[in-house]
Amino acid sequence: MKFLVVVFLLAVAMASPIAAQTWDTSGNQLLVGTFYFRQVLWLVGFNDGSLGAAIALYGTIGFDGQGNYSMSFQDVDSRAAFVQTFNATGTYSISASGYGFISSPFSDGGSVYGLVSNGVFIGSSTEAGFNDLFIAAQLPSSLPTNSFFRGSYSMVGVDFPDLTPATTLDYQFQVNPDGNGNIGNVSATGYVSAAGSTVVTQNIGGVRYSFSGGSASVNFGSSSTARLIVGNKSLYFSPDGNFVFGGSPTAWDMIIGVRNTSGATNFSGLYYQAGATQVEPTTATGFADLDTFYGSLKANAGVILGAQRFLSVFNNNPLDFTYASSFTLNADGTADDSNNHYFFGNGGALRVGMSKFPSIGVNVAIQAPTFTPSGVFIDPTGILNAGSSALFTTGVAPGELISIYGSNLAPALKVDGTFPTTLGGVQVMVNNRPAPIYVVSPGQISAVVPFATNELIASIQVINNGNPSNTVTSFVNLTAPGVFTNPVGGLGSAAALHPDFKLVTADNPAQVGETIAIYLTGLGAVSPAVADGAPGPSNPLSNATNAIFVLIDGQQATPAFAGLAPGLVGLYQINVQVPTGVHMGNVNLAISAPDYFTSEATIPIGSSGLAASESTDRIVRPVVERKKLGTGSAVQRRRMPN
């Protein structure tokens, strides 16, 4: 047991009645003024992944900065014979980080969740039971005309032309508008589902554009043999012209682009992201799976730590999905990982991507804003899982050990393994409940989310010797599994022990058939229950009440135990046998829970595994447990906060 304590310390070195919790709205001023928007909804209606309907909404939104909007938009519905015009009003709530939600113009009582930075909002209605992608950008103060659109742009797009998986397509192309209405020749390349991995090309000549009301109409011709892009496309621009998006005024595509960067690309730091991807049918499954998401990512030295709020309508509910991947910058200023080809704008502050077969789709990432600390200050993006460093857009779970980053959080460094609720004069309040604290310092605190935190929203505040910080809000999950790693931070080899309590390492790897103990946090409620700040019991053991599954190198491994680690606080343990069928070397470890899937950490496997296979570095996505579509098949919905 002493060795378990050492592992834990290495991994985390660094009440009154509860009122209804409300979302932080201190960032509402990030959405103010008139925005162009486009929302495309792809409504999966059949078990092969075909769409039952597709809808495009596009127009303008006026945000008042106080949480109210008015909207005028066109509605293009595959089930209707003509384009309809509507006006609507609604509300929105944006936190200091730019994370929040807009009441949906399409779904009564639903919301579009997402993030705003530098005048661009990206998001998705992940809780509503349908797939969609929503983008909005503030209109320039002077409405753009032909002269506004000039330079070199990289564009990506996705289209569902007849609502069947076989015809779904994505593409990329370059345009060089001259500011006088001329683009000239365009060469597009991409993938059409039915063509498999064959790259499809299309050359279009004489492309022209014109502006009206601040948006551009680009004519890509009307050839009946076009494979990728055809007809008129409406484009909308950010105020600086570096970001562009749009699509057909009569169909259900989404186009996203950036003005190409001159000089070096610096893609590093925190970004907000959103996207849509159709995972292609295989011989084994025979179905396509459409995923849409919003979230965040952190890039550092070619490595990505990502978080997506992810919806496939074939899942039982939306998932928080965290992952690790890497990318390579190319000599031409683009980048690739195993899933996407990327283009950058504004020196790396913008990124758009097109999926590579066997996936079809697009995605966008926008650099997060910066924040100015004042007093006792929690970074609005600084509530992370203490094990995996999962980013702030994932929910927190009861019993999870979290790291809180900021400034002036405590007078000095103090550590207390008894997990008091006051340490060095510092308290952490979660929905007005005192949280057990492990460590405090001026820049970081580690604390445990109280087990009674079962509200929709967690309001987190630090009180430093009577001086309160700002309040940061987060959604509350059933689970938020985050594996401790070596080195710490979530990207590395999982903190796991052999039966002899020796650490699993590359020099002492796990073996097929061996039962190892994996250490993590965030498995949520347990039975028998334990008091906040109390160590996990050993007799009887305290088991996680949520179903927990493990995948090692893609092979399912059923846990013999998943619950609180005996004798330790805020730490959970999974005992699992390494399954047959895994390869030698450093393989992926994934933990699956009812509302969360994480695939950041790895496990070294020894010589009893299969021969080492060539790494593909593909993101390990959640396993889709398919369900029959039909009446009442909507996913579990996250209630719209008050």
Side-chain angles (χ1 to χ4, degrees):
M1 188 58 60
K2 180 178 179 181
F3 191 82
L4 300 186
V5 175
V6 172
V7 171
F8 174 66
L9 294 177
L10 288 174
V12 293
M14 290 290 333
S16 57
I18 305 302
Q21 300 301 311
T22 58
W23 191 256
D24 170 28
T25 59
S26 62
N28 277 358
Q29 283 289 323
L30 296 172
L31 278 181
V32 62
T34 302
F35 285 61
Y36 268 121
F37 83 97
R38 183 173 177 88
Q39 180 183 16
V40 186
L41 305 100
W42 301 288
L43 310 181
V44 177
F46 301 93
N47 286 320
D48 68 349
S50 295
L51 304 185
I55 302 167
L57 311 179
Y58 59 90
T60 59
I61 311 178
F63 295 102
D64 69 357
Q66 304 300 314
N68 305 291
Y69 73 74
S70 59
M71 177 185 293
S72 177
F73 63 93
Q74 310 295 308
D75 181 315
V76 185
D77 192 322
S78 64
R79 299 164 295 188
F82 53 89
V83 177
Q84 303 178 77
T85 300
F86 293 95
N87 295 304
T89 58
T91 60
Y92 66 98
S93 299
I94 303 297
S95 67
S97 65
Y99 180 24
F101 50 90
I102 301 170
S103 63
S104 173
F106 173 79
S107 174
D108 291 341
S111 296
V112 178
Y113 295 84
L115 302 107
V116 59
S117 180
N118 299 310
V120 177
F121 179 93
I122 53 177
S124 183
S125 305
T126 50
E127 317 307 300
F130 55 79
N131 295 106
D132 73 320
L133 181 58
F134 185 106
I135 302 177
Q138 189 171 20
L139 269 70
S141 55
S142 297
L143 290 183
T145 60
N146 280 5
S147 61
F148 185 86
F149 193 25
R150 64 170 65 241
S152 174
Y153 284 78
S154 294
M155 315 289 285
V156 298
V158 64
D159 197 0
F160 297 75
D162 69 2
L163 312 188
T164 63
T167 58
T168 305
L169 57 92
D170 63 7
Y171 51 81
Q172 62 182 25
F173 61 94
Q174 302 287 316
V175 294
N176 295 280
D178 64 359
N180 292 306
N182 301 301
I183 291 177
N185 296 328
V186 171
S187 178
T189 61
Y191 298 97
V192 177
S193 179
S197 59
T198 300
V199 176
V200 176
T201 62
Q202 179 186 353
N203 295 309
I204 313 164
V207 178
R208 293 184 53 81
Y209 69 93
S210 61
F211 274 78
S212 176
S215 67
S217 177
V218 185
N219 188 349
F220 288 94
S222 57
S223 171
S224 61
T225 60
R227 296 294 305 277
L228 299 174
I229 184 168
V230 65
N232 289 318
K233 306 294 182 183
S234 298
L235 298 181
Y236 314 110
F237 297 82
S238 62
D240 60 10
N242 286 323
F243 180 72
V244 58
F245 68 101
S248 170
T250 59
W252 314 284
D253 56 340
M254 181 71 86
I255 299 173
I256 317 171
V258 292
R259 183 152 53 193
N260 293 325
T261 295
S262 60
T265 295
N266 179 25
F267 185 70
S268 180
L270 181 65
Y271 289 76
Y272 300 159
Q273 62 168 330
T277 303
Q278 177 179 289
V279 181
E280 290 302 281
T282 65
T283 302
T285 64
F287 62 80
D289 182 31
L290 178 60
D291 309 328
T292 49
F293 67 87
Y294 73 88
S296 54
L297 64 88
K298 186 169 285 187
N300 180 34
V303 177
I304 295 288
L305 176 66
Q308 297 174 359
R309 182 66 175 176
F310 159 95
L311 174 68
S312 161
V313 296
F314 295 111
N315 280 330
N316 290 325
N317 53 274
L319 297 172
D320 276 339
F321 169 44
T322 68
Y323 60 91
S325 66
S326 61
F327 65 94
T328 301
L329 284 173
N330 303 317
D332 63 0
T334 64
D336 283 277
D337 61 25
S338 295
N339 301 277
N340 300 277
H341 182 62
Y342 299 107
F343 302 94
F344 298 94
N346 197 20
L350 298 165
R351 189 192 73 178
V352 295
M354 183 195 82
S355 299
K356 302 175 184 178
F357 196 85
S359 296
I360 286 177
V362 295
N363 56 76
V364 56
I366 301 169
Q367 195 165 52
T370 57
F371 309 101
T372 302
S374 177
V376 182
F377 180 76
I378 301 176
D379 182 336
T381 66
I383 308 293
L384 309 184
N385 183 292
S388 64
S389 297
L391 299 173
F392 76 106
T393 50
T394 60
V396 299
E400 177 189 358
L401 185 66
I402 58 174
S403 295
I404 303 170
Y405 292 91
S407 58
N408 300 314
L409 298 176
L413 173 66
K414 286 189 177 295
V415 180
D416 191 332
T418 67
F419 285 78
T421 55
T422 300
L423 180 59
V426 175
Q427 286 185 301
V428 175
M429 305 300 292
V430 180
N431 292 355
N432 297 321
R433 300 182 184 98
I437 303 172
Y438 174 63
V439 60
V440 299
S441 70
Q444 178 186 349
I445 293 174
S446 293
V448 179
V449 177
F451 278 107
T453 308
N454 56 14
E455 299 83 9
L456 173 68
I457 294 168
S459 297
I460 301 171
Q461 186 178 47
V462 172
I463 301 173
N464 180 357
N465 288 278
N467 298 306
S469 73
N470 54 315
T471 298
V472 175
T473 50
S474 173
F475 286 113
V476 177
N477 282 12
L478 295 174
T479 63
V483 178
F484 291 101
T485 60
N486 183 24
V488 298
L491 300 179
S493 183
L497 299 181
H498 294 282
D500 62 3
F501 299 105
K502 292 182 179 179
L503 193 64
V504 175
T505 64
D507 293 332
N508 188 16
Q511 305 292 324
V512 171
E514 178 185 17
T515 296
I516 59 174
I518 300 167
Y519 293 89
L520 68 167
T521 191
L523 296 188
V526 293
S527 179
V530 301
D532 291 332
S538 57
N539 188 19
L541 294 169
S542 187
N543 291 271
T545 60
N546 296 292
I548 306 299
F549 300 95
V550 178
L551 295 172
I552 299 177
D553 195 23
Q555 305 298 313
Q556 185 163 323
T558 302
F561 167 72
L564 291 176
L568 300 173
V569 180
L571 188 67
Y572 293 77
Q573 176 178 334
I574 296 176
N575 295 343
V576 66
Q577 187 179 59
V578 179
T580 58
V582 301
H583 291 87
M584 291 170 50
N586 232 19
V587 302
N588 180 265
L589 169 68
I591 309 296
S592 177
D595 55 356
Y596 207 105
F597 186 97
T598 180
S599 64
E600 297 177 28
T602 59
I603 286 280
I605 302 296
S607 58
S608 60
L610 302 175
S613 61
E614 182 179 354
S615 174
T616 61
D617 192 38
R618 296 191 69 86
I619 294 173
V620 177
R621 299 196 68 86
V623 176
V624 176
E625 298 292 342
R626 292 181 65 80
K627 60 178 182 178
K628 185 177 181 180
L629 293 176
T631 303
S633 65
V635 297
Q636 296 177 4
R637 292 175 175 83
R638 175 182 279 165
R639 295 169 293 148
M640 182 176 175
N642 297 320

